[in-house]
Amino acid sequence: MFKPITWVKKDPEKNNVFWPSDELKKRAWVSDESIYAEATKDPVAFWTKLASEGINWFKKWDETYRWEPPYYKWFVNGKLNVSYNALDRHMKSWIRNKAAIIWEPEPPDEKERVLTYFDLYREVNKFANVLKGLGVKKGDRVGIYLPMIPEVQIAMLACARIGAIHNVVFSAFSGKSLQERMLDAEAKVLVTADGYYRRGKQINLKAEADRGVEGTPIQKVVVVKRTGMDVNMVEGRDQWWHELMKNAGNYCKPEVMESEDILFILYTSGTTGKPKGVEHHTGGYAVQAYWTTKWDFDLRDEDVFWCTADIGWITGHTYSCYGPLMCGVTMLEYESSPDYPQPDRWWSIIEKYGVTVFYTAPTAIRMFMQWGEEWPKKHNLNSLRILGTVGEPINEEAWLWYFYKIGGGRCPIIDTWWQTETGGTLINALPGIGPFIPTVAGRSFPGTLHDILDESGNPVPVGEGGYLVQKPPFAPGMLRDIWRNPERYKEYFSAYGEKFYYTSDGARRWDKLGDIRLTGRVDDVMKVAGHRLSTAELENAITSHEAVVECAVVASPHEIKGEVPIAFVTLKGGVEPSDELVKDLMKHVDATIGPTARPHRTIFTEELPKTRSGKIMRRILKSLVRDEPIGDTTTLMNPESVERLKKLVG
Ligand code: AMP
């Protein structure tokens, strides 16, 4: 292994503040501080330049930014195709023969798969023809319910190629969750697999997919043979991927898409019981995905980039698919568990492929901390150059462990704040500029503007906390609507009026440079092991169990997962609480949402604290599980319930 370079240096004045080393500054795409001021002076002009330089357009746009509150458009009348940008344009250069995806299967004795950009191009073209053959047209919705196998990127890019709107559903979500999303999106075709590996076991995904298709408009199901396990195939509806691909033509002309045509819908949790279909549109999303990938991770031709996010989440869409591929980068993809066969699997993968840039979640870092530093120590991780985190606030201890034990004290940590709604990263330090400070994400990406407001809408001073908002011009990759639910879209622009996109995140202004510390969600959305879950969705799931009358779910802090759901459950008369019932409730949650949503603790209670109008006071339950002062209980209909609950919570 080559001699590792020290990419960061310690601030001589402040402990645990780091800056890029001269080597990093020299190498980085961006290392001149003035980029922030230049971009802020005229963000629209800034993005115009980035859009022209980063993306191949079939036709240039007429108008860069149009704002008709609460809607905005970018690159109006520009024409492009994202699969063309991820593939075709690389066919004319040496990148054609470079590894696009290195795929590591979970079974350690199974061989890896390497797809060059040309391989990926050919497969995407073929699958685009398959989709067309199944009757999929521009604007149709295609469900994708696949594990982390290269077919997932192939399917997404094939949709993008023909202008179909993909709707990827996390493969660990239940069939019922899939069904809900397919119904809302009115999907025509579903792409799934027989199964996948999880900690050495074969998981039957097809059985869940069958449940998910029931009662939806899906007419055709394409099934990837991943494990070869025995699955049910429905005559006339289900077809094997490999059989359809055998006769598919190897070129499919990319559809000419309008910049504001929908590229994909991705469902995410909000504060109500129903997930919302966040819409991302073609041109703006492509521009933000391309430039944030390139600049945040400072990617070069020789890099091997590994983003561990599952494709079912926005991080997977932007940084395990579109961003790296548009940048022509070699991307690593791993099928499954970090601790199989041993807790050093990830580190062994980094060593095996010489991963240079690694992007993961704080919850994973904390899990590895718990397993012990002996596991990463077994491996030579000197290839690493840049480390990234995303998904939730990172605590100082985890940041420092990641920095020293994984990065060897040499690699900057790029803590990226963003959301499903924002399409790409928005607040983080840039590798060539810094500073890198534990728990502080950094500054707004050049050309984007954020503020932190108090309850009345006044910006807070340095050192103070408030609510994070984005100011116009809204970043190009931001959501354009909520699928068939404009009312929910409008909510983002209602808290502080149409001039502010409200993030629902708490934040603190860190310093005069503009650095921001994010402090977590301020609404009823939890981040459990980095996964976004709605308390209302979980409450609906639990309440739909036959033994339950009423339920309230609140998030409680957790050492490894960041937050975990605690369920307060009132049972029907005559039903006794028992361990068996708890198990049954878990099974019910698995089947309704998926195992990621399982309550960490279920507390049975005869009554919940309520206002006189009958509303459950979640604020009180939250304080109870966090061991915080309860505050005013005078508005409660049943204040005595609080004392009883205190004893139950313990
Ligand atoms: P999702 O839409 O699933 O990506 O979740 C978005 C939410 O994750 C944000 O609203 C934040 O609460 C949280 N989040 C994402 N990245 C970070 C980060 N780097 N620091 C703090 N919170 C984060």
Side-chain angles (χ1 to χ4, degrees), residues 356-394:
T356 56
V357 181
F358 180 63
Y359 188 30
T360 193
T363 185
I365 299 164
R366 291 190 294 260
M367 197 170 63
F368 283 108
M369 279 171 77
Q370 195 197 32
W371 290 336
E373 65 180 277
E374 62 270 25
W375 295 104
K377 261 195 178 157
K378 286 179 197 282
H379 299 277
N380 182 341
L381 306 179
N382 283 343
S383 60
L384 288 172
R385 200 164 71 74
I386 291 179
L387 301 174
T389 82
V390 60
E392 51 177 317
I394 181 161

Side-chain angles (χ1 to χ4, degrees), residues 266-269 278 313-315 359 362 389-394 414-422 427-428 439-441 468 501 503-506 516-523 525-527 530-533 563:
L266 179 60
Y267 283 82
T268 190
S269 297
V278 172
W313 309 97
I314 189 68
T315 309
Y359 188 30
T389 82
V390 60
E392 51 177 317
I394 181 161
I414 310 300
D415 174 3
T416 60
W417 175 88
W418 61 299
Q419 309 176 302
T420 305
E421 290 87 343
T422 73
I427 299 177
N428 54 268
T439 75
V440 178
L468 181 73
Y501 164 83
T503 62
S504 299
D505 266 299
I516 295 174
R517 165 189 267 181
L518 282 308
T519 51
R521 299 286 300 200
V522 293
D523 57 359
V525 167
M526 299 171 275
K527 292 301 304 251
H531 296 160
R532 182 161 159 180
L533 290 173
E563 285 186 317

